[in-house]
């Protein structure tokens, strides 16, 4: 026997019993996106590698370690998208969307790919929903974006979630701060983890994310970017917080909040849930005022977020473990019955919007009736008889009523069954069956 194959490491199958909840979450999210004026965008699952290398940043872990990058037959370097924002900013520039009335609000959902070490809540293919708004640097857009995710998490029944928020200021402030942080880290390098030490020059801010005890201790007394943010950046942050206060959205200001992507400016935020384990991030985002320009488009501010649907589902409580679909008609066959006619009957019923299946597994009549019950059928049509002398019985499981048809000719066989089924359906649903 050949070796049995499995889904690739870090990926998973969505089985039928899980699909109803996912579909419901996507429905809820789509509804909230549309209510907030976001329109759907879809971009390819792979992009030129430079979209992410430039957009997300070479120094990030995503770009330096986690991307699925490959050369196509034309020797172009392509990458399975590890996130959506850079790809959407690319599309925004490419399609001249800056000419549309601002803000241009876009939402998306789909699979994303990162070659991370798999663990609970962390996959190599995962699904995100996300929202990006371009063309305005108004703090109200930041607040609206945060509140949109807050609303979706609430509707998804996500338990014990918290919002952390901070500001990264603008590029010049961040550069000056980054130099200050680098010297601070160099002064304390003996206490830092090897990984952090190696990345002092490349990405000193990531030291705030370390779980290494020595590093954590050092970072407690490290200078914080939020403390040096001033002027318009400070005003912007204060205005975002004031709007969240006015809307009654709770948050914690966390000056150590760093996000693993380089494009952020000003506001950054993250929702975490205590119902999740180590991978507690449900969703996060922020402002990225330089991103569109970085990818060759016109200078355009933007703000948005993405959230992982696996984590929302895990921390959430959407109603509806799957209720098996109701089957309108199960078509059962007696030995010797006209199988092609039964097959045609199923097709005709399906075409007119009636959920119908025909026995296909070679069961005995008794087995078929059992299967009809298992499939949650409302009624069963038992087809029998022989050429020129067909008969059929229609049994309604709900009412217990049974209709018998005998001595049917080949010509009017199906018509008579459909007539009888329609009568039965109409007596069950007085408004009539949708045709
Ligand atoms: P991110 O924080 O990298 O941000 O990812 C957002 C969310 O995607 C995370 O909070 C988490 O729920 C989920 N996620 C990320 N990686 C994985 C994984 N390996 N397995 C399962 N879930 C995962 C972004 O992607 C930015 N594009 C967000 C953004 C949009 N910023 C501005 N606009």
């Amino acid at each position: 026997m050949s070796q049995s194959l499995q889904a690739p490491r870090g990926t998973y199958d969505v089985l039928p019993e899980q699909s109803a909840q996912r579909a419901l979450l996507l429905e809820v999210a789509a509804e909230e996106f549309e209510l907030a004026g976001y329109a759907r965008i879809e971009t390819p699952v792979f992009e030129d590698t430079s979209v992410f290398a430039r957009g997300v940043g070479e120094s990030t872990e995503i770009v330096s370690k986690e991307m699925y990058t490959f050369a196509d037959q034309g020797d172009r370097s392509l990458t399975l998208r590890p996130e959506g924002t850079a790809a959407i900013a690319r599309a925004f520039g490419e399609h001249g969307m800056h000419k549309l009335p601002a803000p241009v609000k876009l939402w998306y959902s789909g699979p994303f790919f990162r070659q991370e070490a798999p663990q609970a809540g962390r996959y190599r293919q995962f699904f995100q929903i996300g929202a990006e708004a371009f063309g305005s640097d108004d703090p109200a857009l930041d607040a609206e974006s945060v509140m949109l995710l807050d609303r979706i998490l609430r509707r998804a029944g996500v338990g014990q979630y918290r919002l952390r928020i901070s500001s990264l200021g603008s590029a010049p402030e961040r550069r000056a701060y980054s130099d200050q942080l680098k010297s601070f880290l160099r002064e304390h390098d003996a206490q830092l983890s090897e990984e952090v030490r190696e990345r002092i020059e490349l990405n000193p801010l990531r030291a705030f994310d370390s779980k290494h005890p020595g590093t954590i201790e050092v970072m407690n007394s490290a200078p914080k970017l939020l403390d040096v943010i001033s002027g318009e950046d400070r005003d912007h942050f204060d205005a975002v917080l004031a709007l969240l206060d006015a809307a009654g959205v709770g948050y914690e200001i966390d000056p150590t909040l760093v996000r693993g992507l380089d494009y952020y400016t000003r506001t950054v935020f993250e929702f975490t849930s205590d119902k999740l384990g180590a991978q507690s991030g449900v969703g996060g985002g922020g402002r990225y005022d330089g991103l569109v320009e970085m990818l060759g488009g016109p200078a355009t501010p933007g703000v948005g977020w993405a959230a992982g649907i696996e984590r929302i589902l895990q921390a959430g409580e959407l109603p509806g473990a799957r209720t098996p679909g109701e089957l309108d008609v199960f078509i059962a066959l007696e030995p010797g019955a006209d199988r092609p006619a039964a097959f045609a009957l199923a097709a005709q019923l399906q075409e007119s919007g009636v959920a119908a299946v025909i026995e296909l597994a070679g069961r005995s009549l008794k087995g078929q009736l059992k299967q009809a019950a298992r499939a949650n059928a409302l009624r069963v049509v038992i087809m029998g008889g022989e050429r020129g002398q067909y008969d059929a019985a229609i049994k309604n499981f709900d009412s217990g009523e049974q209709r018998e048809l005998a001595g049917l000719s080949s010509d009017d066989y199906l018509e008579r069954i459909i007539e009888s089924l329609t009568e039965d359906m109409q007596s069950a649903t007085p408004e009539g069956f949708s045709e």
Side-chain angles (χ1 to χ4, degrees), residues 62 82-86 108 112 114 116 121-128 130-132 259-261 263-264 270-271 279-288 303-312:
I62 294 179
E83 63 103 48
T85 315
Y108 54 96
F112 293 85
R114 296 183 194 173
E116 297 190 78
R122 197 206 268 156
Y123 305 95
R124 292 184 164 177
Q125 172 174 306
F126 54 97
F127 277 70
Q128 284 185 343
E132 314 289 356
R259 308 244 323 117
L261 306 106
Y263 48 61
Y264 291 116
E270 209 157 81
F271 285 87
Q279 301 302 313
S280 63
V282 186
R287 191 163 263 290
Y288 42 83
V303 60
W305 53 260
I309 78 162
E310 296 81 6
R311 296 191 193 169
I312 298 180

Side-chain angles (χ1 to χ4, degrees), residues 267-333:
T267 317
V268 282
F269 59 92
E270 209 157 81
F271 285 87
T272 53
S273 168
D274 295 339
K275 287 185 87 177
L276 298 173
Q279 301 302 313
S280 63
V282 186
R287 191 163 263 290
Y288 42 83
D289 291 344
L291 179 61
V292 176
E293 197 176 9
M294 214 153 37
L295 296 172
T300 312
V303 60
W305 53 260
I309 78 162
E310 296 81 6
R311 296 191 193 169
I312 298 180
L313 288 171
Q314 204 194 329
E317 249 170 63
L318 278 152
R322 183 182 155 84
T323 44
E326 276 189 348
L327 181 63
D328 297 317
V329 180
F330 186 97
I331 303 166
L333 299 161

Side-chain angles (χ1 to χ4, degrees), residues 53-356:
R54 269 204 262 164
V56 175
E58 302 270 11
S59 69
T60 61
E61 268 157 51
I62 294 179
V63 172
S64 63
K65 292 192 197 156
E66 297 171 358
M67 297 207 301
Y68 283 96
T69 297
F70 56 96
D72 73 359
Q73 290 174 1
D75 216 22
R76 284 170 287 255
S77 177
L78 299 172
T79 292
L80 295 185
R81 59 184 186 186
E83 63 103 48
T85 315
I88 290 170
R90 188 271 306 145
F92 182 89
E94 183 173 335
H95 301 289
M97 293 170 96
H98 60 286
K99 293 186 209 122
L100 299 172
V104 177
K105 295 170 161 184
L106 305 168
W107 73 270
Y108 54 96
S109 75
F112 293 85
F113 309 87
R114 296 183 194 173
Q115 218 163 149
E116 297 190 78
Q119 55 169 266
R122 197 206 268 156
Y123 305 95
R124 292 184 164 177
Q125 172 174 306
F126 54 97
F127 277 70
Q128 284 185 343
I129 50 171
E132 314 289 356
F134 296 89
S136 164
D137 62 3
D138 192 320
L141 201 56
D142 306 43
E144 185 193 69
S145 181
V146 169
M147 285 159 60
L148 176 58
L149 178 51
D150 180 60
R151 211 174 305 128
I152 291 173
L153 297 182
R154 230 176 319 125
R155 277 195 65 188
V158 172
Q160 300 160 36
Y161 71 83
R162 292 182 294 149
L163 164 63
R164 292 184 301 140
I165 190 162
S166 188
S167 174
L168 301 178
S170 312
E173 266 167 342
R174 200 158 63 237
R175 265 196 299 275
Y177 166 77
S178 177
D179 289 340
Q180 191 191 349
L181 183 62
K182 280 180 200 168
S183 357
F184 173 86
L185 292 173
R186 273 189 233 107
E187 276 164 37
H188 296 83
D189 67 352
Q191 285 159 268
L192 301 175
S193 74
E194 197 182 322
E195 207 190 339
V196 169
R197 215 178 310 132
E198 275 169 9
R199 294 176 77 81
I200 292 181
E201 297 308 317
L202 202 59
N203 198 347
L205 274 161
R206 290 300 282 181
F208 283 111
D209 258 0
S210 172
K211 306 265 179 309
H212 174 258
T215 310
I216 293 175
E217 208 186 314
V218 172
M219 296 321 284
N220 280 337
S221 55
K224 306 287 182 320
L225 177 53
L226 195 56
D227 294 334
V228 299
I229 281 165
S230 61
E232 283 181 13
D233 291 334
R234 183 81 231 178
D235 294 345
H236 183 97
F237 189 51
D238 291 342
V240 173
L241 299 183
L243 288 164
L244 294 178
D245 287 337
V249 176
Y251 56 82
E252 296 156 36
I253 298 174
D254 182 355
T256 69
L257 178 62
V258 278
R259 308 244 323 117
L261 306 106
D262 270 358
Y263 48 61
Y264 291 116
T265 52
R266 295 190 162 173
T267 317
V268 282
F269 59 92
E270 209 157 81
F271 285 87
T272 53
S273 168
D274 295 339
K275 287 185 87 177
L276 298 173
Q279 301 302 313
S280 63
V282 186
R287 191 163 263 290
Y288 42 83
D289 291 344
L291 179 61
V292 176
E293 197 176 9
M294 214 153 37
L295 296 172
T300 312
V303 60
W305 53 260
I309 78 162
E310 296 81 6
R311 296 191 193 169
I312 298 180
L313 288 171
Q314 204 194 329
E317 249 170 63
L318 278 152
R322 183 182 155 84
T323 44
E326 276 189 348
L327 181 63
D328 297 317
V329 180
F330 186 97
I331 303 166
L333 299 161
E334 280 176 0
D338 185 350
R339 210 158 179 269
F343 190 78
L345 175 63
Q348 275 187 37
L349 289 172
Q350 288 162 6
E351 264 175 51
S352 58
V354 175

